[in-house]
Amino acid sequence: MSVAGPKQMELASVTRSKAVRAVRPLFLVSFLLLGGGCALAPQDAVLNPAVTISKTAAGGGAPVSVEVVDERPSTVAGTRMMGQARYIGAEIKVAEVTPIVEAKAKEALVRNQFVPEGPSAATDRKLKVEIRALDLKTQHTMFSASYLPSAAFKAVARNKADNFEKLYRVDFSEGTMWYNSDDKNNRLLSEAVGKVLDDMLNDPELMGFLAR
Amino acid sequence: MLAAMRVVLLLAGLSILSACMGEIRYANVRPNVTITKSVSGKGAVALSIVDERSSTTVSDLKTGGSNIRLIEPIPLVEPTLKQALSENGFTPVEKASATDRRLKVEIRAIELKIAGGFATTSYLTNAALKVIANSKEQTFERFYRSEAMARSAVGSDERNDQLVSEALSKAMSDVANDAELMAFLAR
């Protein structure tokens, strides 16, 4: 058995520190790559709700002022999940719902023979839609996931001195064996909005109240 | 031997289960708001604050840690709004008082969503308040929402409380310093 002398030990120490210096950039690059992979990319959801509005002559040409307000507690509908590692945990944002709902509400009023006006118009009849919630929750299990889209809109209507208030809410679930693509997230959120608008804008009670 | 292994397996199962059962922690929320005077109001304003959150849970268990609850948010919001009214020259009074001016604040949400990423975790906080003010038969309604996102590899109870406090402070500050709202009440 040979014992290393002071010169050999010094040489070994120099070699070790050289190796450490060489490895350091590798570590740095690895961390940067990891960090880049973790740069969570949010999805800006695009809504395209399909609503079929039945046609009536209930309105008889009466003007109705329309106002839509976004009262969601958060613009984040949910978070992206499994599949693409760099997207896990990134938020799914729905920044703008108001213009879509307003356009559909006005279209529904026209199809019921009302004349939609702006929110500040001096009319006897008013329709205010409060967007209360739009969410896409996910539940994971070991091998599959469930997507739970939900939406809640409140209609606050006024006709002369009378008031009408109703909350419309939908929630459903869809299971998947794999992660959802952006398109699928968009579709589920659009379906939730479409269903709740369908319920509200085809509600004979609401249209009947405005037509009185 | 078999019996010993059974005991070991049972203990292992129990320890895994206990690790998965999130304990409940009550949030220590401390909002901090700076109020700026915007009008020279006068007279009494009946102030009411209601908790209209859909849940007392601020954050549910997703990536480990505790379920965070906040049972009573009204005492956190009320002093700041009373101060805002006083700073602007009004006298805040009880909800049932006979006065032309009323200010109702609905606490709609105080939330912290924790989403686990590949190597870091996202902390999404939001708070939402709805204001309905009445002054001489006119109504003013406005929705105030604050949202923020922080990312961190390591979280802590203190950090969670701080994030929730910041979100609530921002929404409360928007209400307390809303010059349009104060001008409406001062009409």
Side-chain angles (χ1 to χ4, degrees), chain A residues 2-16:
Chain A
S2 66
V3 179
K7 212 166 187 177
Q8 277 170 305
M9 281 176 71
E10 195 184 329
L11 192 67
S13 164
V14 168
T15 316
R16 205 178 307 127

Side-chain angles (χ1 to χ4, degrees), chain A residues 34 38 40 70-76 79 85 88-89 91 128 130 132, chain B residues 108-109 113 115-119 122 126 128 130 141 143 145 147 149 151:
Chain A
L34 263 179
C38 298
L40 300 173
D70 185 357
E71 296 197 354
R72 290 174 296 156
S74 170
T75 54
V76 176
T79 47
I88 299 171
E91 67 269 30
K128 185 179 177 189
E130 296 174 356
R132 290 286 184 98
Chain B
R108 290 281 185 91
K113 288 170 193 150
F118 191 58
S122 300
N126 67 287
K130 166 102 187 245
E141 289 190 21
F143 191 74
R145 176 171 54 208
E147 289 181 282
M149 186 173 70
R151 286 185 183 125

Side-chain angles (χ1 to χ4, degrees), chain B residues 35-86:
Chain B
I35 294 162
T36 313
K37 181 184 172 177
S38 57
V39 296
S40 294
K42 59 178 181 180
V45 175
L47 175 66
S48 65
I49 297 162
V50 287
D51 181 7
E52 294 207 353
R53 292 174 300 157
S54 54
S55 168
T56 58
T57 300
V58 174
S59 183
D60 58 1
L61 187 73
K62 276 273 172 68
T63 54
S66 318
N67 286 307
I68 307 170
R69 283 196 192 157
L70 179 61
I71 301 295
E72 196 43 273
I74 295 171
L76 299 174
V77 175
E78 196 168 20
T80 301
L81 293 177
K82 279 185 172 172
Q83 193 194 340
L85 289 171
S86 301

Side-chain angles (χ1 to χ4, degrees), chain A residues 77-132:
Chain A
T79 47
R80 292 170 130 180
M81 54 178 285
M82 304 303 290
Q84 292 160 289
R86 74 193 198 91
Y87 291 156
I88 299 171
E91 67 269 30
I92 303 166
K93 289 197 91 171
V94 190
E96 278 295 348
V97 197
T98 312
I100 296 164
V101 174
E102 192 175 326
K104 296 290 181 192
K106 284 184 171 173
E107 189 190 326
L109 288 170
V110 169
R111 286 187 71 82
N112 283 279
Q113 301 269 301
F114 292 102
V115 179
E117 306 267 3
S120 51
T123 56
D124 282 343
R125 295 171 176 85
K126 291 180 189 297
L127 173 62
K128 185 179 177 189
V129 181
E130 296 174 356
I131 301 163
R132 290 286 184 98

Side-chain angles (χ1 to χ4, degrees), chain A residues 9-65:
Chain A
M9 281 176 71
E10 195 184 329
L11 192 67
S13 164
V14 168
T15 316
R16 205 178 307 127
S17 42
K18 269 186 184 168
V20 167
R21 268 204 296 274
V23 166
R24 257 187 211 149
L26 282 177
F27 269 111
L28 187 66
V29 169
S30 314
F31 274 117
L32 283 175
L33 282 174
L34 263 179
C38 298
L40 300 173
Q43 179 192 345
D44 287 315
V46 179
L47 300 182
N48 188 16
V51 188
T52 310
I53 298 155
S54 46
K55 206 171 174 181
T56 73
V64 179
S65 78

Side-chain angles (χ1 to χ4, degrees), chain B residues 159-172:
Chain B
R159 177 83 177 122
N160 289 343
D161 287 346
Q162 188 197 337
L163 291 171
V164 175
S165 299
E166 281 170 9
L168 182 59
S169 299
K170 171 75 173 63
M172 283 167 59

